[in-house]
Amino acid sequence: MKNQTLKSLTEAHAWIGLIISTVLFIVFITGSLSLFRDNIRGWERAPLAVQSNESITTISYDNAINSIQQQYDVDTDHGFFMREPTPHNPFIEVYFATHLDQPHPITGEDHQDQHLLISPQSGEVLADADKFEFSTLLFELHFDLGLGRPGLYFVGVITLFFFVAILSGVVIHWRKIAKNFFQYRAEGKKDKWLDAHNLIGTMGLPFHIMYAFTGLVFNLVIIYQISYAVLLYGGNQTALLQAAGFNEPKIEAINQIQPMQGIDQLRAQAQAKLGDVTFTMVEISHFGDKNAVVGFTAKSNDAFSNIKEIQYKLSDNSQVYLTENNYDNAVRAGLSTIASLHFGDFAGYGMRLAFLCLGLATAYLIVTGNLMWIDKRAKQKKQSPKSLMFVKRLTSGSFIGVILAVAVGFTLTTLLPATHADKLETVKSSMFIAFFFALISSQFAKDVLSFSKVLLGLSGICYCLSLVMNLAYFGNQYNLLPLQTKVDFAIVIGLIALMALICWKAVSRINAAAQTTSATSSERTSHQTAN
């Protein structure tokens, strides 16, 4: 490759990395933590697990539905979903809508969405599930930045540029990839950043390619659907979905009342029909109607957990749909495999731990990329000092702001009681405030290193506070907690301690850098005085 071409490619690689760095850092930090979102959910809902204290070996959906119908006016025009209890989440988790006589004062709609946690055997309504959704909030920040569908597509575009950055990085370093594979020069600041950047990028290359590709599939799948529908099916997206195996029958409501009982019996039938599976969801279409359809979704208990579905008409228990060979369909099986790869849930905690390390290492790769860009620009005479300082402050404020926001999230989730009104909204708002506080205040910092130390110190204090409170609760409630909840607590405490350690190490590195800079300045001053 010609030197000029290589130089242009390197410049493009640097600029792409700089532009997408903040969003990509958010994606990898929250995504790394979300690998353990089931554990975070179990940790957050531990008080309810102690309160319920019921085994999930026996589950009664009929009791749950009976309790809901007694306490809520279910809107039959909307979906009714029940998530299967798991060791991490030993409750029936129910999603439905209630009818409103007057339009909702905020949304203006004629219904209100409900999200409840229900005891798996007695059917007792335990709590509003939305107050225990910190794990979901972290996960949403990972794939849509908490901005809904616009954020989903925006992250998809960022992922596309990430894929381009990976490919350009491989081309740039291809000739030296083997020679300098394990090279790490600790004596020079620039060499250390460059070697760390190259080493992480090279060793994590399969991981990065996998995440870039699977992220594109999840976030921009609508683009593929539209393209395939136009090119292959003449614009008929329904035909495309049917060819892909998504061809459930459409049964209309007939507005005749039907008791919603017999779900437990149908679950037993579905278990016998589907075989070695783990149920994940029960969906009732046309709830309360004689044409109500009960659908069971399950994961096959193989390594990559392909999805199986079966549906029954509740009035006569007749089977109306079965995936049959659809779970061997290339599209459905491919999406299931991609999901398992992306979430690292196909090989136990060992694989998730490896993915956690690679994810955090990638976040460090993003940091080193920005630092190298700043260092290179600082040596160019034509570089504007104001624009360079802006990037320095932006790098400090945005990256550490993410660390601070997550710290605030863990701390408030630990501190705020379940009785707190709008607990999740309080946590979410506080996280956004913490991030934008760091981002905006960084632009007024005169000494970026000192400012970074303050933000990291504040983040570390939040993590340590959360750590102490969780250790105290864990010790007091240890004998009452279910076994899996104990495991969840231990893992979350480990994650919080890891984030606190990262803050401490970062402050130590900043102190070391400041001392080196001070020593260099003293030597220059002494040399000039001697001359």
Side-chain angles (χ1 to χ4, degrees):
M1 184 180 293
K2 295 180 180 180
N3 289 336
Q4 184 58 41
T5 304
L6 186 61
K7 183 179 179 181
S8 300
L9 191 60
T10 303
E11 192 76 6
H13 178 82
W15 275 104
I16 290 173
L18 180 71
I19 292 169
I20 68 175
S21 61
T22 297
V23 174
L24 209 57
F25 190 81
I26 296 172
V27 167
F28 272 96
I29 290 293
T30 56
S32 297
L33 295 173
S34 293
L35 289 166
F36 299 93
R37 63 189 177 280
D38 288 339
N39 305 101
I40 295 174
R41 182 180 293 114
W43 156 78
E44 188 180 5
R45 297 177 178 180
L48 291 179
V50 173
Q51 176 186 340
S52 174
N53 197 26
E54 288 187 359
S55 171
I56 61 173
T57 54
T58 302
I59 301 169
S60 178
Y61 288 115
D62 289 334
N63 288 344
I65 291 174
N66 186 50
S67 294
I68 290 171
Q69 289 182 309
Q70 289 178 3
Q71 300 179 46
Y72 296 90
D73 181 13
V74 179
D75 191 329
T76 57
D77 292 328
H78 292 81
F80 192 97
F81 303 88
M82 295 182 288
R83 192 180 296 277
E84 182 93 357
T86 68
H88 298 287
N89 185 46
F91 319 101
I92 298 175
E93 194 165 349
V94 189
Y95 307 80
F96 63 97
T98 51
H99 176 74
L100 296 176
D101 293 329
Q102 299 293 330
H104 193 280
I106 298 177
T107 64
E109 296 179 334
D110 62 354
H111 68 278
Q112 182 172 351
D113 293 329
Q114 303 289 342
H115 182 195
L116 305 177
L117 295 176
I118 294 180
S119 182
Q121 293 182 13
S122 68
E124 176 190 358
V125 177
L126 298 174
D128 179 358
D130 284 338
K131 294 184 177 181
F132 302 90
E133 286 290 300
F134 178 61
S135 60
T136 302
L137 174 57
L138 277 179
F139 188 47
E140 288 176 352
L141 290 172
H142 167 65
F143 66 80
D144 67 9
L145 307 178
L147 302 176
R149 189 163 293 275
L152 181 74
Y153 295 143
F154 180 63
V155 171
V157 172
I158 294 297
T159 306
L160 179 61
F161 280 103
F162 176 51
F163 197 72
V164 173
I166 292 170
L167 297 180
S168 62
V170 170
V171 173
I172 291 167
H173 299 288
W174 182 255
R175 290 180 298 177
K176 298 180 180 179
I177 241 173
K179 179 182 176 183
N180 298 337
F181 188 75
F182 291 107
Q183 179 174 267
Y184 185 77
R185 294 162 289 186
E187 63 277 1
K189 180 175 65 175
K190 180 185 175 183
D191 291 338
K192 189 159 50 178
W193 291 339
L194 178 62
D195 290 344
H197 191 85
N198 294 345
L199 188 62
I200 295 170
T202 303
M203 295 187 70
L205 184 59
F207 171 83
H208 296 145
I209 292 175
M210 181 272 291
Y211 262 123
F213 174 73
T214 56
L216 277 174
V217 171
F218 291 140
N219 286 63
L220 297 181
V221 67
I222 186 66
I223 295 176
Y224 306 142
Q225 287 182 3
I226 293 173
S227 301
Y228 292 155
V230 170
L231 295 176
L232 302 179
Y233 293 89
N236 188 345
Q237 188 165 344
T238 301
L240 167 66
L241 293 176
Q242 288 180 346
F246 298 93
N247 53 358
E248 294 91 339
K250 301 297 181 182
I251 298 178
E252 300 297 332
I254 58 175
N255 297 320
Q256 295 182 18
I257 297 176
Q258 166 78 26
M260 294 294 100
Q261 292 295 302
I263 311 299
D264 295 338
Q265 178 184 346
L266 288 178
R267 183 181 181 278
Q269 286 184 223
Q271 182 76 69
K273 187 72 175 180
L274 296 179
D276 185 22
V277 298
T278 299
F279 286 105
T280 57
M281 183 74 75
V282 179
E283 177 183 358
I284 304 179
S285 302
H286 313 312
F287 187 92
D289 191 86
K290 190 173 182 179
N291 267 2
V293 175
V294 182
F296 296 89
T297 303
K299 285 186 174 183
S300 58
N301 293 326
D302 58 17
F304 288 100
S305 303
N306 290 329
I307 304 298
K308 298 184 180 182
E309 298 172 40
I310 190 168
Q311 295 178 6
Y312 297 95
K313 192 174 179 181
L314 185 59
S315 60
D316 58 8
N317 291 356
S318 60
Q319 178 184 307
V320 295
Y321 174 76
L322 176 65
T323 50
E324 294 182 345
N325 292 327
N326 287 344
Y327 55 81
D328 291 328
N329 180 284
V331 175
R332 294 175 69 105
L335 288 174
S336 295
T337 301
I338 286 172
S340 291
L341 281 172
H342 192 88
F343 301 135
D345 60 2
F346 58 91
Y349 285 118
M351 182 59 69
R352 294 184 194 181
L353 182 60
F355 276 27
L356 173 67
C357 294
L358 286 166
L360 294 178
T362 305
Y364 182 64
L365 176 144
I366 297 167
V367 174
T368 57
N370 275 31
L371 293 176
M372 285 191 297
W373 188 94
I374 292 169
D375 188 71
K376 181 179 179 181
R377 296 287 163 175
K379 296 177 181 178
Q380 295 179 0
K381 295 180 180 180
K382 295 181 180 180
Q383 178 63 43
S384 168
K386 288 185 179 181
S387 61
L388 185 63
M389 181 56 70
F390 172 79
V391 175
K392 282 184 180 180
R393 290 167 173 168
L394 181 66
T395 297
S396 174
S398 61
F399 290 176
I400 304 177
V402 175
I403 304 296
L404 177 62
V406 173
V408 169
F410 271 109
T411 303
L412 289 181
T413 301
T414 306
L415 271 174
L416 295 178
T419 54
H420 186 279
D422 297 324
K423 178 180 177 180
L424 183 66
E425 283 302 315
T426 302
V427 173
K428 183 176 181 179
S429 300
S430 299
M431 290 177 69
F432 275 95
I433 289 171
F435 174 75
F436 284 108
F437 164 77
L439 189 65
I440 295 171
S441 61
S442 66
Q443 295 302 319
F444 300 95
K446 294 182 179 180
D447 187 337
V448 177
L449 285 180
S450 297
F451 176 79
S452 299
K453 284 173 58 178
V454 171
L455 278 186
L456 286 166
L458 184 59
S459 303
I461 290 171
C462 289
Y463 284 121
C464 289
L465 177 62
S466 179
L467 186 63
V468 170
M469 289 188 295
N470 279 289
L471 285 171
Y473 180 87
F474 188 48
N476 290 333
Q477 300 293 320
Y478 183 83
N479 293 328
L480 300 176
L481 295 173
L483 177 60
Q484 184 58 59
T485 308
K486 292 176 183 177
V487 174
D488 295 337
F489 245 93
I491 289 174
V492 171
I493 286 172
L495 290 174
I496 296 172
L498 175 62
M499 297 303 291
L501 178 63
I502 289 172
C503 292
W504 176 73
K505 289 294 292 181
V507 170
S508 300
R509 292 288 296 272
I510 291 173
N511 286 333
Q515 290 174 3
T516 302
T517 303
S518 178
T520 303
S521 299
S522 298
E523 288 178 6
R524 289 177 180 174
T525 303
S526 300
H527 182 71
Q528 291 173 358
T529 303
N531 291 337

